Amino acid sequence: MTKNEYAQAAALIKHGCIYQENNGIGFFRSEQLSAQGGVEHGFTARTGGVSPAPYDSLHLNFQKPHDMALVRENFRRFCLGAGIEYKSMVVVSYEHGVNVIKVDKNDASRGFDEPPLPPCDGIITNDPALTLITNHADCGAFFVYDPVKRAVGIAHSGWKGTLGRIGKNVVELMRDSYGSQPEDMIASTGPCICQSCYEVDTPLAAKFDIEFGEGVCTTPGREGHAWLDLEAAQAIQLIEAGVLPKNITMMQKCTFEDEKRLFSHRRDTPKKGATGDMAGYIRLV
């Protein structure tokens, strides 16, 4: 995609997010996706939990070293705030890859009270008995909803998953599994580290230039480095997978900048040795 083509598409994309709190738990959401009937979604803020520093306080990741009893309590509070049943959740077994798998009611509690899923960074379902969960601490998210075939998908997407087009994989697996058409889908990216805060080396930037268009999601930085726009690359792959720009939201909420409400691996780990994780969720209702 050229810069001009992306600029034309970006003019049709929705930008920004809404922030809502319930029972002390905060959620970032796409206004467009929230306006759709039949689906609920959100991306958690870091406050309202019980974990101590540096995981303070709503740390939502069983894959990170921490007191599991506290993480379980955090998820209990998350469920109360989101209005979902604890046993309805199924969480990705993320490996910073591009694998997406289909799940149903038989996978409820996988990664919680039941054994984890096989390695995957994305999951899809058409089963309203499930709540799909992802983990994040700078890495972005994809939320996808098909109101026609009644299906949803979600993915964790760091630079590896974004470069490998995991968002496209979500769209294509929903199409192949449920007959979903990309032009019917409503999609959103989630909070992630923004371009102004995400410096990478030039070899990695060059890979994004090759994959998504020269200079479309990269800008030059100091010698040997560039600034990388993950959300732009995520939006481009949705568009090239057939999702209409007008049906896409870029939340544009930076995890690095919003220290009060969001964890950030790049910001916190050098100073504190670790950081907590937020959670994304989506479900049919």
Side-chain angles (χ1 to χ4, degrees):
M1 182 175 287
T2 67
K3 288 184 179 180
N4 185 56
E5 289 170 337
Y6 178 67
Q8 292 178 22
L12 301 174
I13 291 173
K14 309 295 188 298
H15 297 85
C17 58
I18 55 177
Y19 179 73
Q20 300 166 319
E21 292 188 359
N22 188 35
N23 288 309
I25 306 300
F27 299 94
F28 296 91
R29 295 184 169 108
S30 157
E31 187 171 13
Q32 183 181 42
L33 193 50
S34 293
Q36 305 298 312
V39 66
E40 293 180 354
H41 79 291
F43 189 102
T44 59
R46 66 181 293 174
T47 55
V50 295
S51 295
Y55 303 101
D56 49 324
S57 64
L58 193 71
H59 171 50
L60 296 169
N61 188 347
F62 283 114
Q63 291 182 252
K64 279 190 174 180
H66 184 40
D67 186 326
M68 294 299 101
L70 298 183
V71 178
R72 188 172 295 276
E73 172 61 18
N74 287 340
F75 268 110
R76 187 194 69 79
R77 294 184 179 204
F78 157 73
C79 289
L80 184 64
I84 61 178
E85 293 186 12
Y86 192 96
K87 292 183 178 180
S88 74
M89 293 187 293
V90 54
V91 63
V92 296
S93 295
Y94 70 93
E95 57 176 359
H96 294 277
V98 297
N99 191 37
V100 181
I101 63 175
K102 179 174 63 174
V103 293
D104 60 29
K105 62 183 179 182
N106 296 313
D107 297 299
S109 290
R110 296 286 295 272
F112 294 91
D113 296 328
E114 300 296 332
L117 294 169
C120 61
D121 283 71
I123 44 182
I124 67 167
T125 195
N126 65 349
D127 192 336
L130 292 182
T131 301
L132 309 185
I133 304 290
T134 49
N135 308 111
H136 307 270
D138 280 338
C139 295
F142 285 98
F143 302 90
V144 183
Y145 172 50
D146 172 12
V148 177
K149 297 297 185 179
R150 296 277 296 147
V152 291
I154 195 170
H156 159 271
S157 186
W159 74 258
K160 292 181 181 178
T162 301
L163 184 61
R165 293 182 180 252
I166 191 172
K168 173 184 73 71
N169 293 350
V170 170
V171 170
E172 291 185 348
L173 188 59
M174 289 175 64
R175 179 198 65 199
D176 296 343
S177 300
Y178 310 126
S180 298
Q181 297 304 305
E183 59 268 26
D184 294 329
M185 296 179 183
I186 310 297
S188 177
T189 62
C192 67
I193 190 167
C194 75
Q195 184 175 27
S196 297
C197 299
Y198 194 31
E199 188 180 41
V200 301
D201 60 38
T202 49
L204 179 57
K207 292 180 180 179
F208 275 82
D209 285 341
I210 292 170
E211 187 66 31
F212 299 105
E214 183 74 27
V216 179
C217 52
T218 63
T219 57
R222 60 193 174 97
E223 184 177 356
H225 295 78
W227 301 101
L228 176 60
D229 189 340
L230 282 177
E231 265 193 294
Q234 290 161 359
I236 289 168
Q237 64 191 263
L238 288 173
I239 294 166
E240 293 183 345
V243 181
L244 301 178
K246 68 177 183 178
N247 289 342
I248 297 172
T249 296
M250 296 169 67
M251 286 198 191
Q252 295 185 317
K253 170 55 64 174
C254 179
T255 50
F256 190 97
E257 293 175 347
D258 196 341
E259 186 170 4
K260 181 179 179 180
R261 293 187 295 182
L262 294 166
F263 295 113
S264 168
H265 172 78
R266 181 165 285 211
R267 181 194 65 226
D268 297 336
T269 301
K271 297 184 295 183
K272 304 176 182 179
T275 192
D277 271 27
M278 292 83 63
Y281 81 96
I282 193 167
R283 68 178 187 129
L284 297 166
V285 293

